[in-house]
Coordinates of all heavy atoms in Angstrom, one line a residue:
Q36 N -62.9 33.5 135.9 CA -63.6 34.6 135.4 C -64.2 34.5 134.1 O -65.2 35.1 133.7 CB -62.7 35.9 135.5 CG -61.7 36.1 134.4 CD -60.4 35.3 134.7 OE1 -60.4 34.4 135.6 NE2 -59.4 35.5 133.9
K37 N -63.5 33.6 133.3 CA -64.0 33.4 132.0 C -65.4 32.7 131.8 O -66.0 32.6 130.8 CB -63.0 32.7 131.1 CG -61.7 33.5 130.9 CD -60.7 32.8 130.1 CE -59.4 33.7 129.8 NZ -58.4 33.0 129.0
D38 N -65.7 32.0 132.9 CA -66.9 31.2 133.0 C -68.1 31.9 133.7 O -69.2 31.4 134.0 CB -66.7 29.8 133.8 CG -65.8 29.0 133.0 OD1 -65.8 29.0 131.7 OD2 -65.0 28.2 133.6
L39 N -67.8 33.2 134.1 CA -68.8 34.0 134.9 C -69.3 35.2 134.1 O -68.8 35.6 133.1 CB -68.1 34.5 136.2 CG -67.6 33.4 137.1 CD1 -66.7 34.0 138.2 CD2 -68.7 32.7 137.7
K40 N -70.5 35.6 134.5 CA -71.2 36.8 133.9 C -71.2 38.0 134.9 O -71.4 37.7 136.1 CB -72.6 36.5 133.5 CG -72.7 35.4 132.4 CD -74.0 35.1 131.9 CE -74.0 34.1 130.8 NZ -73.3 34.4 129.6
F41 N -71.0 39.2 134.4 CA -70.8 40.3 135.2 C -71.6 41.6 134.7 O -71.9 41.7 133.6 CB -69.3 40.7 135.2 CG -68.3 39.7 135.6 CD1 -67.8 38.8 134.7 CD2 -68.0 39.6 136.9 CE1 -66.9 37.8 135.1 CE2 -67.1 38.6 137.4 CZ -66.5 37.7 136.5
V42 N -71.8 42.4 135.8 CA -72.1 43.9 135.6 C -71.0 44.6 136.3 O -70.7 44.4 137.4 CB -73.5 44.2 136.2 CG1 -73.8 45.7 135.9 CG2 -74.7 43.5 135.5
H43 N -70.3 45.4 135.4 CA -69.1 46.0 135.9 C -69.4 47.5 136.3 O -69.9 48.2 135.4 CB -68.0 45.9 134.8 CG -66.6 46.0 135.4 ND1 -65.4 45.9 134.6 CD2 -66.1 46.0 136.7 CE1 -64.4 46.0 135.3 NE2 -64.8 46.0 136.6
I44 N -69.0 47.9 137.5 CA -69.3 49.3 138.0 C -68.1 50.2 138.3 O -67.3 49.7 139.1 CB -70.2 49.2 139.1 CG1 -71.4 48.2 139.0 CG2 -70.8 50.6 139.5 CD1 -72.4 48.7 138.0
A45 N -67.9 51.2 137.6 CA -66.8 52.1 137.9 C -67.3 53.5 138.1 O -68.4 53.9 137.9 CB -65.8 52.2 136.7
G46 N -66.4 54.4 138.7 CA -66.8 55.8 139.0 C -66.1 56.1 140.3 O -65.4 55.5 141.0
T47 N -66.5 57.4 140.8 CA -66.0 57.9 142.0 C -66.9 57.7 143.2 O -66.6 57.1 144.2 CB -65.5 59.4 141.8 OG1 -64.7 59.5 140.7 CG2 -64.8 59.9 143.0
N48 N -68.1 58.3 143.0 CA -69.1 58.2 144.1 C -70.3 57.5 143.6 O -70.8 57.8 142.5 CB -69.5 59.6 144.6 CG -68.4 60.2 145.5 OD1 -67.3 60.2 145.3 ND2 -69.0 60.9 146.6
G49 N -70.8 56.7 144.4 CA -72.1 55.9 144.1 C -71.8 54.5 143.6 O -72.9 53.8 143.3
K50 N -70.6 54.0 143.5 CA -70.4 52.7 143.0 C -71.1 51.6 144.0 O -71.8 50.8 143.5 CB -69.0 52.4 143.0 CG -68.1 53.1 141.9 CD -66.7 52.4 141.7 CE -65.9 52.4 143.0 NZ -65.4 53.7 143.3
G51 N -70.9 51.9 145.3 CA -71.5 51.0 146.3 C -72.9 50.9 146.3 O -73.6 49.8 146.3
S52 N -73.6 52.1 146.3 CA -75.0 52.2 146.3 C -75.6 51.6 145.0 O -76.6 50.8 145.0 CB -75.5 53.7 146.4 OG -75.0 54.3 147.4
T53 N -75.0 51.9 143.8 CA -75.5 51.4 142.6 C -75.3 49.9 142.5 O -76.3 49.1 142.1 CB -74.7 52.0 141.4 OG1 -74.9 53.4 141.5 CG2 -75.2 51.5 140.0
S54 N -74.2 49.3 143.0 CA -74.0 47.9 143.0 C -74.9 47.2 143.9 O -75.4 46.1 143.6 CB -72.6 47.6 143.4 OG -71.6 48.1 142.5
T55 N -75.2 47.8 145.1 CA -76.0 47.1 146.1 C -77.5 47.1 145.6 O -78.1 46.1 145.7 CB -75.9 47.8 147.4 OG1 -74.5 47.8 147.8 CG2 -76.7 47.1 148.5
M56 N -78.0 48.2 145.0 CA -79.3 48.2 144.5 C -79.5 47.1 143.4 O -80.5 46.4 143.4 CB -79.7 49.6 143.9 CG -80.0 50.5 145.0 SD -80.6 52.2 144.3 CE -79.1 53.1 144.1
L57 N -78.5 47.1 142.6 CA -78.6 46.0 141.5 C -78.7 44.6 142.0 O -79.4 43.8 141.6 CB -77.3 46.2 140.6 CG -77.5 47.1 139.4 CD1 -76.1 47.3 138.7 CD2 -78.5 46.6 138.4
S58 N -77.8 44.4 143.0 CA -77.8 43.0 143.6 C -79.0 42.7 144.2 O -79.5 41.5 144.1 CB -76.6 42.9 144.6 OG -76.8 43.7 145.7
Y59 N -79.7 43.5 144.9 CA -81.0 43.3 145.5 C -82.1 43.0 144.4 O -82.8 42.0 144.5 CB -81.5 44.4 146.3 CG -81.0 44.4 147.8 CD1 -79.8 44.8 148.2 CD2 -81.9 43.9 148.8 CE1 -79.4 44.8 149.5 CE2 -81.5 43.9 150.1 CZ -80.2 44.4 150.5 OH -79.8 44.3 151.8
I60 N -82.0 43.7 143.3 CA -83.0 43.5 142.3 C -82.8 42.2 141.6 O -83.7 41.4 141.3 CB -83.0 44.7 141.3 CG1 -83.5 46.0 142.0 CG2 -83.9 44.4 140.1 CD1 -83.2 47.2 141.2
L61 N -81.5 41.9 141.2 CA -81.3 40.7 140.5 C -81.6 39.4 141.4 O -82.0 38.4 140.8 CB -79.8 40.7 140.1 CG -79.4 41.7 139.0 CD1 -77.9 41.8 138.8 CD2 -80.0 41.3 137.7
Q62 N -81.3 39.6 142.7 CA -81.7 38.5 143.5 C -83.2 38.3 143.5 O -83.7 37.1 143.4 CB -81.2 38.7 145.0 CG -81.7 37.7 145.9 CD -81.4 38.0 147.4 OE1 -80.8 39.0 147.7 NE2 -81.9 37.2 148.3
D63 N -84.0 39.3 143.6 CA -85.4 39.2 143.5 C -86.0 38.8 142.2 O -87.1 38.3 142.0 CB -86.1 40.6 143.9 CG -86.0 40.8 145.4 OD1 -85.4 40.0 146.1 OD2 -86.5 41.8 146.0
C64 N -85.2 39.0 141.1 CA -85.5 38.4 139.8 C -85.3 36.9 139.8 O -85.6 36.2 138.8 CB -84.6 39.1 138.7 SG -85.1 40.8 138.3
G65 N -84.7 36.3 140.9 CA -84.5 34.9 140.9 C -83.1 34.4 140.6 O -82.9 33.3 140.5
Y66 N -82.2 35.4 140.4 CA -80.8 35.0 140.1 C -79.9 34.9 141.3 O -80.0 35.7 142.3 CB -80.2 36.0 139.1 CG -80.9 36.1 137.7 CD1 -81.6 37.2 137.4 CD2 -80.7 35.0 136.9 CE1 -82.3 37.2 136.2 CE2 -81.4 35.0 135.7 CZ -82.1 36.1 135.3 OH -82.8 36.1 134.1

Side-chain angles (χ1 to χ4, degrees):
Q36 76 279 9
K37 294 181 179 179
D38 296 326
L39 298 167
K40 295 186 182 298
F41 300 91
V42 177
H43 206 182
I44 312 291
T47 307
N48 281 45
K50 293 194 300 290
S52 299
T53 301
S54 299
T55 303
M56 283 188 269
L57 271 173
S58 69
Y59 271 82
I60 293 167
L61 289 169
Q62 179 189 350
D63 283 4
C64 286
Y66 294 110

